[in-house]
């Protein structure tokens, strides 16, 4: 890079830099040399000086030492103190000089010397000299001599010799130094010479190089220039240099190239010029030929077109024959006239001005013009006007060329008209198509009628119209004034209908009414068009009436409209058909949706095409809606998993949907968890024209049937058991009677048993028969007026002998008159009592209670038995139902009883119900309407006791004769008492402990174990009951006098019931009079509880 | 003396069976109104035959059989006398351990014969 940039640098710059560098080098070398020589010189001088100084010092030292010895000798000789003084001074001086000498730069030898001298001096000064002085003072010269001989003098002499030697040596050294400096100067001279020579050589080399660089290319250039001048090709390679020479080369090359290019160009131009010359000649020839052609053309133009020349002012100067032919003006007439002679029609004055302006600026104008000929005939010309300009650009004349295009124009006009007609036809066709589309796709008649009438009004320009669909009486009117509607249908309708029968369509013409006329001129006529729409059977489907004001109907229009009516007839029939189909479809759908069965139609590929709402509800599947097609995988999974028998259902679906499935088949499955729904499902292959195209699945909810079935089989098993037990007795005892001999009493007993069991059998059978009758609805009821209290008592009487249970009657009903079927009510009571006994095996007491409610009497039968689980109470009154628990299963019974009771009570406008608690017992009640709701009390009541239930005086009758009991209780109830019956003394006593009685009526002759007397004794012995008044009612005479004290009254049977009442009233009356509280709080009966 | 226990909730049928079997010699007849009573009596005495009704309150015949231990069942032949006369009931009774089965209504003479047969069989090995 650097080299490159150097080579690119200009020569001048390059070499001036080199020269400058060299000069600096020379100066620096010179200066360095000078400085070096100078310093060397100085060093030598300095060394010289040092040497001289050292020599001087040593000389001085020698002199001083000499003086010291001299003085010391002097002293030793003279014994002059002065001499010693001087010696000491010299010694001091010697110390000083030695000091100075030691400070000089010393060679090792010199240093040794100096040191020895110093030691010596020290020795001398401190030892020798004082010794010598002492010798001198002692005048001991021998000692002194010895001392001197002892080396001191020798040392001085050595020292002196050394100094002398040193002097010579230093002198020698000095001369060496001078020699050395001279030699050095010599060396320097040689060095300077060599340096100068080297510089000279360098310059020479440089100049030679410059010359080589500059001269060579110049020589080449010269050669190139020569060859250029000689016209030869310049063979000069480009120098890859950017210096002056390089640029010169480039400039030269450029110049050479441009010269060569120019030369070539000139050559080419020359050739071109030659070619142009040829062409020009050619053109001249062609021009000549064209001129003749133009002349011919002009002739032809003159023949074919009208040609005229107008002066600058617009005056015809020339006009050919054609123009006079086109205009009707003769040639002579035209020539000299202005252009205004031509009567141009289709150009306004403003346009004419524009044309003139255009022409006057040199433009050419050309257009179609319509003008009138001289005789007034219109003629179309295609006219072109060209201005002719002179050399100054001024117009000096106009040329007019015109062609007759009248015939072409006419053709054009005709074409346009045809086109317009076609356009109109197209619109009409489009409308017609639209109507076709509308009537094809409209399913609504009203919509159809509206579209049709709109079409008619548009297509045939009716001003008002009416369309009537006869069958549905749909009328659509458009733009019809009321008067027209009346005209169409009203007064003239007779006429219209009459004509319609014979003609499919007709037209009437009449003067327009005022309203129709509107802004139209007076005397306009209106045309009414009547047309029927008939089907193939000639039934009138619809009527169209339309009015056009002012213009009548063409034959074509009438035909078209009639054709239209045929299409409309088809469309209307189609609409009818659609409606019928739609109706049928809806009907089918409604039927399918309203049947109780779930219905599902599945195509062969398994997709579900239809399902009804029942099925959707069954499966809780709401994803299907009408028109949907649900693929199998989307519905079947849900269906299969909803069913409890998923696998079976899946298999069934699979089988039923397969192609091989031909016969219909069915299966049963269940839905739900808590309350099972049993479904019977059957599949039917569906064929259309002998091709299987799907499967119909019908899901029937058979839960009721299923349960009924279960109940029935349950019933059969129960019935068989129930029948077998009495049958066993009947058959068994009969067999015993037949096969064994026995006592007559036993025979009688057997027969009685047989009889009773046979009766039980009969009852059972009657129950079933009742049930059967109820089911078939043939049960007969024979209502008769009767007293329900009596009836209840009578039934209870029959259970008197039952060993296990005691039946207690609490009769509070004041009105027990009802009108019912006696036998049926007895059946109900028997049934309910039997149930109470049957279902309370552990308890002994059953209470029957009667009381009035507004207009009704209520009978309650309460037991303290097993009770009924809460969730089963609701099912109790269903047929074949029995409380489903293990305890009741063991008890037996047809399970029909309550259902029969319910049926009987409800058939007699009563109601029945049950309240129960499991383990506590049940209370079954039923109520019946009273025969005579008002006046339910005897009028001759002497004592009117409070109607309040709690306040009624309680009376207990202990009597085993139920008919008497009944008689008495009726009497007592009538007088406002509450009556409780008992026939067993023990129970009566227990009851008396529980309930406060105003009095107890006791029959003496009671059961076997205890009699009336026992009861009285028990009552009187107990503190809780001793105060209760006792009335004896007995057929026996008074016998036991002792006991009579405890008795309020003794009534001997038979006695009139009034007597008992009187006695009781007396007792109550006494208590009331005496202000005794009937039922004090501290009642002794409470204590026992 | 051989002992026979008659268990039936129906008084009439108890009477019928008792009267049927009363003429058997050296046979002591005992009765029970329900299963509970029957169990009580069974636990106190060894019986040579139990005539057991199926449908009874408190404990059914099958339940009584369930309560009897195997030893007792092996030693005491059971005659199931029941109105439940279907095959399923018969099987259930057999499974529960009743050796004899007689459907209601039954013939007293036939019952007598069967009982006689059972009792004499019972006597033989002793």
């Amino acid at each position: 890079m650097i080299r490159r940039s150097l080579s690119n640098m200009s020569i001048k710059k390059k070499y001036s830099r080199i020269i400058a560098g060299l000069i600096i080098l020379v100066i620096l070398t010179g200066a360095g040399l000078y400085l070096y020589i100078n310093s060397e010189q100085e060093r030598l001088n300095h060394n010289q000086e040092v040497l001289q100084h050292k020599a001087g010092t040593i000389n001085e030292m020698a002199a001083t030492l000499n003086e010291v010895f001299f003085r010391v000798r002097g002293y030793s000789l003279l014994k002059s103190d002065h001499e010693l003084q001087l010696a000491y001074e010299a010694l001091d001086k010697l110390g000083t000089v030695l000091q100075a000498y030691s400070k000089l730069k010393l060679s090792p030898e010199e240093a040794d010397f100096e040191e020895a001298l110093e030691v010596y001096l020290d020795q001398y000064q401190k030892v020798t000299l004082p010794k010598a002085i002492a010798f001198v003072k002692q005048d001991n010269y021998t000692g002194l001599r010895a001392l001197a001989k002892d080396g001191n003098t020798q040392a001085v002499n050595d020292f002196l010799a050394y100094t002398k030697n040193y002097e010579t040596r230093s002198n020698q050294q000095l001369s060496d130094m001078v020699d050395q400096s001279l030699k050095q100067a010599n060396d320097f001279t040689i060095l300077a010479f060599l340096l100068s020579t080297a510089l000279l050589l360098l310059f020479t080399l440089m100049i030679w190089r410059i010359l080589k660089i500059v001269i060579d290319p110049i020589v080449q250039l010269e050669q190139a220039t020569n060859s250029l001048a000689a016209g030869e090709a310049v063979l000069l390679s480009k120098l890859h240099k950017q210096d002056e020479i390089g640029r010169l080369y480039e400039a030269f090359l450029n110049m050479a190239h441009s010269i060569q290019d120019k030369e070539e160009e000139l050559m080419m131009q020359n050739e071109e010029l030659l070619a142009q010359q040829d062409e020009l000649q050619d053109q001249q020839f062609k021009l000549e030929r064209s001129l003749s052609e133009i002349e011919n053309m002009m002739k032809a133009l003159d023949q074919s077109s009208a040609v005229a020349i107008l002066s600058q002012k617009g005056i015809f100067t020339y006009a050919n024959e054609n123009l006079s032919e086109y205009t009707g003006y003769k040639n002579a007439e035209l020539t000299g006239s202005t252009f205004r002679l031509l009567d141009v029609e289709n150009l306004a004055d403003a346009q004419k001005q524009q044309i003139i302006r255009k022409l006057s600026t040199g433009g050419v104008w050309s257009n179609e013009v319509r003008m009138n000929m001289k005789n007034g005939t219109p003629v179309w010309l295609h006219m072109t006007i060209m201005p002719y300009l002179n050399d100054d650009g001024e117009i000096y004349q106009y040329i007019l060329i015109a062609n007759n295009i009248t015939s072409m124009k006419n053709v054009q006009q005709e074409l346009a008209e045809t086109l317009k007609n076609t356009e109109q036809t197209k619109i009409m066709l489009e409308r017609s198509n639209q109507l076709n589309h509308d009537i094809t796709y409209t399913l609504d008649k009203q919509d159809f009628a509206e579209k049709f009438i709109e079409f008619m009004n548009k297509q045939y320009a009716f001003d008002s119209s009416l369309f009537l669909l006869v069958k549905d009486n749909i009328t659509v009117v458009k733009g019809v004034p009321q008067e027209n509607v009346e005209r169409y249908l009203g007064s003239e309708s007779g006429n219209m209908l009459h004509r319609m029968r014979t003609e499919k369509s007709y037209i009437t013409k009449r003067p327009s009414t005022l309203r129709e006329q509107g802004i139209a001129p007076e005397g306009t006529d209106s045309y009414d068009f009547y047309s029927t729409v008939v089907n193939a059977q000639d039934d009138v489907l619809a009527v169209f009436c339309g009015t056009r004001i002012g213009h009548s109907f063409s034959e074509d229009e009438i035909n078209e409209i009639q054709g239209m009516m045929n299409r409309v007839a088809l469309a209307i029939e189609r609409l009818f058909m659609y409606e019928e189909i739609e109706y049928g479809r809806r009907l089918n759908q409604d039927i399918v949706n309203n049947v109780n069965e779930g219905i599902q139609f599945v195509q062969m590929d398994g997709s579900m095409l239809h399902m009804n709402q029942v099925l959707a509800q069954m499966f809780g599947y709401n994803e299907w809606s009408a028109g949907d097609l649900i693929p199998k995988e989307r519905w079947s999974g849900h269906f299969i998993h909803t069913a409890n028998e998923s696998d079976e259902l899946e298999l069934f679906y699979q089988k039923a949907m397969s192609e091989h499935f031909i016969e219909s088949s069915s299966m049963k499955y269940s839905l739900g968890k808590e309350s099972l729904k049993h479904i019977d499902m059957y599949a039917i292959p569906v064929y259309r024209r002998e091709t299987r195209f799907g499967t119909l699945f019908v899901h029937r909810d058979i839960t009721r049937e299923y349960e009924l079935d279960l109940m029935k089989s349950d019933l059969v098993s129960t019935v068989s058991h129930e029948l077998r037990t009495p049958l066993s007795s009947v058959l068994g005892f009969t067999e015993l009677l037949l096969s064994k001999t026995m006592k007559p009493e036993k025979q009688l007993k057997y027969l009685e048993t047989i009889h009773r069991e046979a009766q039980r059998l009969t009852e059972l059978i009657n129950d079933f028969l009742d049930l059967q009758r109820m089911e078939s609805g043939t049960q007969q009821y024979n209502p008769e007026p009767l007293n329900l209290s009596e009836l209840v008592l009578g039934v209870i009487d029959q259970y008197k002998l039952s060993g296990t249970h005691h039946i207690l009657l609490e009769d509070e009903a004041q009105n027990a008159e009802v009108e019912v079927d006696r036998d049926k009510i007895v059946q109900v009571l028997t049934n309910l009592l039997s149930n109470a006994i049957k279902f309370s095996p552990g308890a002994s007491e059953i209470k029957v209670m009667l009381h009035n409610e507004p207009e009704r009497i209520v009978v309650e039968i309460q037991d303290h038995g097993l009770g009924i689980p809460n969730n089963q109470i609701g099912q109790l009154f269903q047929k074949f139902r029995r409380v489903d628990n293990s305890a009741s299963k063991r008890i037996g019974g047809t399970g029909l009883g309550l259902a029969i009771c319910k049926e009987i009570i409800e058939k007699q406008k009563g109601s029945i119900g049950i309240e129960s608690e499991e383990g506590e017992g049940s209370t079954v009640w039923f109520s019946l309407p009273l025969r005579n709701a008002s006046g339910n009390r005897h009028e001759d009541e002497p004592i009117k006791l409070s109607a309040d239930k709690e306040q009624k005086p309680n009376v207990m009758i202990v009597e085993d004769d139920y008919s008497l009991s009944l008689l008495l209780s009726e009497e007592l109830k009538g007088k406002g008492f509450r009556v409780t019956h008992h026939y067993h003394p023990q129970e009566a006593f227990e009851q008396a402990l529980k309930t406060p009685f105003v009095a107890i009526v006791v029959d003496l002759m009671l059961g076997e174990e205890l009699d009336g007397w026992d009861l009285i004794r028990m009552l009187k012995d107990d503190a809780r009951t001793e105060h209760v008044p006792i009335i004896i009612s007995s057929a026996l005479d008074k016998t036991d006098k002792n006991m009579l004290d405890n008795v309020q009254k003794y009534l001997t049977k038979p006695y009139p019931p009034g007597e008992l009442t009187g006695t009781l009233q007396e007792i109550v009356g006494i208590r009331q009079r005496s202000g005794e509280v009937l039922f004090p709080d501290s009642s002794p009966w409470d204590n026992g509880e | 003396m051989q002992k026979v226990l008659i268990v039936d909730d129906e008084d009439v049928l108890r009477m019928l069976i008792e009267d049927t079997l009363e003429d058997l010699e050296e046979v002591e007849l005992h009765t029970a109104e329900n299963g509970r009573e029957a169990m009580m009596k069974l636990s106190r005495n060894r019986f040579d035959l139990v005539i057991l009704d199926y449908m009874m309150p408190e404990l059914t015949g099958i339940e009584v059989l369930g309560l009897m231990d195997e030893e007792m069942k092996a030693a005491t032949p059971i005659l199931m006398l029941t109105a439940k006369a279907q095959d399923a009931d018969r099987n259930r009774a057999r499974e529960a351990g009743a050796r004899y089965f007689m459907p209601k209504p039954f013939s007293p003479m036939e019952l007598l014969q069967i009982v006689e047969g059972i009792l004499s069989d019972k006597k033989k090995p002793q």
Side-chain angles (χ1 to χ4, degrees), chain A residues 76-180:
Chain A
S76 61
L77 292 174
L78 295 172
K79 285 186 187 174
S80 164
D81 281 345
H82 181 68
E83 282 297 308
L84 190 63
Q85 183 74 33
L86 284 174
Y88 271 115
E89 274 176 18
L91 207 58
D92 280 348
K93 199 183 168 188
L94 183 64
T96 319
V97 174
L98 195 63
Q99 198 90 25
Y101 181 72
S102 74
K103 278 179 187 160
L104 292 173
K105 206 179 170 190
L106 296 177
S107 69
E109 191 195 359
E110 283 165 348
D112 285 348
F113 169 72
E114 192 260 349
E115 217 169 301
L117 189 61
E118 213 168 314
V119 172
Y120 174 76
L121 263 185
D122 206 31
Q123 171 87 14
Y124 185 80
Q125 201 166 4
K126 282 173 186 162
V127 184
T128 316
L129 193 56
K131 238 184 226 177
I133 292 169
F135 285 137
V136 168
K137 274 182 183 168
Q138 292 162 1
D139 287 327
N140 188 358
Y141 285 98
T142 349
L144 194 60
R145 238 170 261 130
L147 185 68
K149 270 182 197 161
D150 202 17
N152 275 338
T153 323
Q154 180 62 37
V156 174
N157 287 341
D158 285 351
F159 181 69
L160 287 176
Y162 175 76
T163 48
K164 213 157 217 158
N165 185 29
Y166 188 83
E167 207 178 342
T168 16
R169 237 176 40 202
S170 72
N171 281 342
Q172 179 67 35
Q173 217 169 355
L174 270 175
S175 76
D176 281 357
M177 258 183 216
V178 172
D179 286 352
Q180 199 184 345

Side-chain angles (χ1 to χ4, degrees), chain A residues 902-964:
Chain A
K902 184 176 160 77
E903 182 82 15
I904 292 170
I905 296 294
E906 285 180 355
K907 276 277 147 61
Q908 309 198 68
K909 300 183 185 85
S911 53
I912 190 164
I914 189 163
E915 280 136 36
S916 181
E917 206 169 307
E918 198 172 4
E920 296 287 313
S922 321
T923 303
V924 184
W925 59 266
F926 66 87
S927 71
L928 287 166
L930 289 169
R931 187 157 61 90
N932 181 9
S934 55
N936 55 350
R937 206 162 273 159
H938 296 282
E939 283 171 10
D940 58 342
E941 266 178 281
I943 297 174
K944 207 170 179 185
L945 292 159
S946 166
D948 188 351
K949 188 179 169 183
E950 297 302 321
Q951 294 290 311
K952 274 187 194 172
N954 258 328
V955 175
M956 175 155 70
I957 298 173
V958 187
E959 168 68 73
D960 64 351
D961 180 350
Y962 264 77
S963 47
L964 181 63

Side-chain angles (χ1 to χ4, degrees), chain A residues 592-593 595 597-600 610-617 624:
Chain A
V592 166
N593 273 338
V595 292
E597 281 78 20
I599 292 172
Q600 180 185 19
H610 197 277
M611 73 184 279
N612 68 352
Q613 284 160 7
V614 178
L615 190 68
Q617 265 171 16
W624 185 86

